[in-house]
Short mmCIF file of all heavy atoms in Angstrom, two decimals:
data_model
loop_
_atom_site.label_atom_id
_atom_site.label_comp_id
_atom_site.label_asym_id
_atom_site.label_seq_id
_atom_site.Cartn_x
_atom_site.Cartn_y
_atom_site.Cartn_z
N VAL A 258 44.44 49.28 92.78
CA VAL A 258 43.87 48.29 91.86
C VAL A 258 44.16 48.68 90.40
O VAL A 258 44.49 47.82 89.57
CB VAL A 258 42.34 48.18 92.07
CG1 VAL A 258 41.70 47.31 91.00
CG2 VAL A 258 42.05 47.61 93.45
N ARG A 259 44.06 49.97 90.11
CA ARG A 259 44.20 50.42 88.71
C ARG A 259 45.63 50.34 88.19
O ARG A 259 45.83 50.33 86.98
CB ARG A 259 43.67 51.85 88.56
CG ARG A 259 42.16 52.05 88.77
CD ARG A 259 41.35 50.91 88.21
NE ARG A 259 39.92 51.10 88.29
CZ ARG A 259 39.16 50.67 89.28
NH1 ARG A 259 39.71 50.08 90.34
NH2 ARG A 259 37.85 50.82 89.24
N ILE A 260 46.62 50.33 89.07
CA ILE A 260 47.99 50.24 88.57
C ILE A 260 48.49 48.79 88.56
O ILE A 260 49.63 48.52 88.19
CB ILE A 260 48.96 51.11 89.40
CG1 ILE A 260 48.99 50.66 90.87
CG2 ILE A 260 48.58 52.58 89.29
CD1 ILE A 260 49.97 51.45 91.72
N ASP A 261 47.61 47.87 88.97
CA ASP A 261 47.96 46.44 88.91
C ASP A 261 48.12 46.01 87.45
O ASP A 261 47.39 46.47 86.56
CB ASP A 261 46.87 45.62 89.59
CG ASP A 261 47.18 44.14 89.57
OD1 ASP A 261 48.01 43.71 90.38
OD2 ASP A 261 46.59 43.42 88.74
N LYS A 262 49.06 45.13 87.17
CA LYS A 262 49.35 44.71 85.80
C LYS A 262 48.12 44.12 85.12
O LYS A 262 47.86 44.38 83.94
CB LYS A 262 50.50 43.69 85.78
CG LYS A 262 50.92 43.29 84.36
CD LYS A 262 52.07 42.32 84.39
CE LYS A 262 52.57 42.02 82.96
NZ LYS A 262 51.51 41.53 82.07
N LYS A 263 47.34 43.33 85.86
CA LYS A 263 46.16 42.69 85.27
C LYS A 263 45.19 43.74 84.74
O LYS A 263 44.69 43.65 83.62
CB LYS A 263 45.47 41.81 86.30
CG LYS A 263 44.24 41.06 85.78
CD LYS A 263 43.68 40.13 86.85
CE LYS A 263 42.48 39.34 86.34
NZ LYS A 263 41.34 40.22 86.03
N PHE A 264 44.95 44.78 85.55
CA PHE A 264 44.02 45.82 85.11
C PHE A 264 44.63 46.60 83.94
O PHE A 264 43.92 46.95 82.99
CB PHE A 264 43.70 46.78 86.26
CG PHE A 264 42.75 47.87 85.86
CD1 PHE A 264 41.39 47.66 85.93
CD2 PHE A 264 43.22 49.08 85.39
CE1 PHE A 264 40.51 48.65 85.53
CE2 PHE A 264 42.35 50.08 84.99
CZ PHE A 264 40.99 49.87 85.07
N THR A 265 45.92 46.90 84.01
CA THR A 265 46.58 47.65 82.93
C THR A 265 46.47 46.90 81.61
O THR A 265 46.19 47.50 80.56
CB THR A 265 48.06 47.89 83.27
OG1 THR A 265 48.16 48.59 84.51
CG2 THR A 265 48.74 48.69 82.18
N ASP A 266 46.66 45.60 81.65
CA ASP A 266 46.54 44.79 80.43
C ASP A 266 45.11 44.83 79.88
O ASP A 266 44.91 44.94 78.66
CB ASP A 266 46.94 43.34 80.71
CG ASP A 266 48.43 43.19 80.98
OD1 ASP A 266 49.18 44.13 80.65
OD2 ASP A 266 48.84 42.16 81.53
N GLU A 267 44.13 44.76 80.77
CA GLU A 267 42.73 44.80 80.33
C GLU A 267 42.40 46.16 79.72
O GLU A 267 41.69 46.25 78.71
CB GLU A 267 41.81 44.52 81.52
CG GLU A 267 41.88 43.08 82.03
CD GLU A 267 41.07 42.89 83.29
OE1 GLU A 267 40.55 43.89 83.83
OE2 GLU A 267 40.95 41.72 83.75
N PHE A 268 42.92 47.23 80.33
CA PHE A 268 42.66 48.57 79.81
C PHE A 268 43.33 48.76 78.45
O PHE A 268 42.76 49.36 77.54
CB PHE A 268 43.19 49.61 80.81
CG PHE A 268 42.91 51.04 80.41
CD1 PHE A 268 41.61 51.47 80.19
CD2 PHE A 268 43.94 51.94 80.24
CE1 PHE A 268 41.34 52.78 79.83
CE2 PHE A 268 43.69 53.26 79.88
CZ PHE A 268 42.38 53.68 79.67
N THR A 269 44.54 48.21 78.31
CA THR A 269 45.24 48.28 77.02
C THR A 269 44.45 47.55 75.94
O THR A 269 44.29 48.06 74.81
CB THR A 269 46.65 47.66 77.15
OG1 THR A 269 47.37 48.33 78.18
CG2 THR A 269 47.41 47.80 75.84
N ASP A 270 43.95 46.38 76.26
CA ASP A 270 43.16 45.61 75.28
C ASP A 270 41.91 46.38 74.86
O ASP A 270 41.52 46.36 73.69
CB ASP A 270 42.75 44.25 75.88
CG ASP A 270 43.95 43.32 76.05
OD1 ASP A 270 44.97 43.55 75.38
OD2 ASP A 270 43.86 42.37 76.85
N LYS A 271 41.29 47.07 75.80
CA LYS A 271 40.10 47.85 75.49
C LYS A 271 40.44 48.99 74.54
O LYS A 271 39.71 49.26 73.57
CB LYS A 271 39.47 48.42 76.76
CG LYS A 271 38.14 49.13 76.53
CD LYS A 271 37.54 49.59 77.84
CE LYS A 271 36.15 50.18 77.62
NZ LYS A 271 36.12 51.26 76.62
N LEU A 272 41.55 49.67 74.80
CA LEU A 272 41.95 50.77 73.93
C LEU A 272 42.28 50.27 72.52
O LEU A 272 42.04 50.96 71.53
CB LEU A 272 43.16 51.50 74.52
CG LEU A 272 42.91 52.38 75.75
CD1 LEU A 272 44.22 52.95 76.27
CD2 LEU A 272 41.96 53.51 75.40
N ARG A 273 42.81 49.06 72.44
CA ARG A 273 43.18 48.50 71.13
C ARG A 273 41.97 48.23 70.25
O ARG A 273 42.11 48.08 69.03
CB ARG A 273 43.99 47.21 71.32
CG ARG A 273 45.42 47.44 71.79
CD ARG A 273 46.14 46.12 72.03
NE ARG A 273 47.52 46.33 72.49
CZ ARG A 273 48.31 45.34 72.90
NH1 ARG A 273 47.86 44.09 72.91
NH2 ARG A 273 49.55 45.60 73.30
N THR A 274 40.78 48.14 70.84
CA THR A 274 39.57 47.94 70.04
C THR A 274 39.14 49.23 69.36
O THR A 274 38.32 49.20 68.44
CB THR A 274 38.40 47.42 70.90
OG1 THR A 274 38.06 48.42 71.88
CG2 THR A 274 38.78 46.13 71.61
N GLU A 275 39.70 50.36 69.81
CA GLU A 275 39.31 51.66 69.25
C GLU A 275 40.47 52.41 68.62
O GLU A 275 40.26 53.38 67.89
CB GLU A 275 38.69 52.52 70.35
CG GLU A 275 37.47 51.91 71.02
CD GLU A 275 36.91 52.82 72.10
OE1 GLU A 275 36.42 53.89 71.75
OE2 GLU A 275 36.97 52.43 73.28
N LEU A 276 41.70 51.99 68.92
CA LEU A 276 42.88 52.70 68.44
C LEU A 276 43.88 51.73 67.84
O LEU A 276 43.86 50.53 68.14
CB LEU A 276 43.57 53.43 69.61
CG LEU A 276 42.82 54.57 70.29
CD1 LEU A 276 43.61 55.03 71.52
CD2 LEU A 276 42.61 55.73 69.34
#
Side-chain angles (χ1 to χ4, degrees):
V258 172
R259 293 322 184 267
I260 61 177
D261 180 77
K262 184 178 185 305
K263 182 176 181 295
F264 180 87
T265 302
D266 291 343
E267 291 173 354
F268 183 58
T269 304
D270 291 340
K271 186 177 185 306
L272 287 176
R273 286 177 180 173
T274 64
E275 302 180 66
L276 295 173

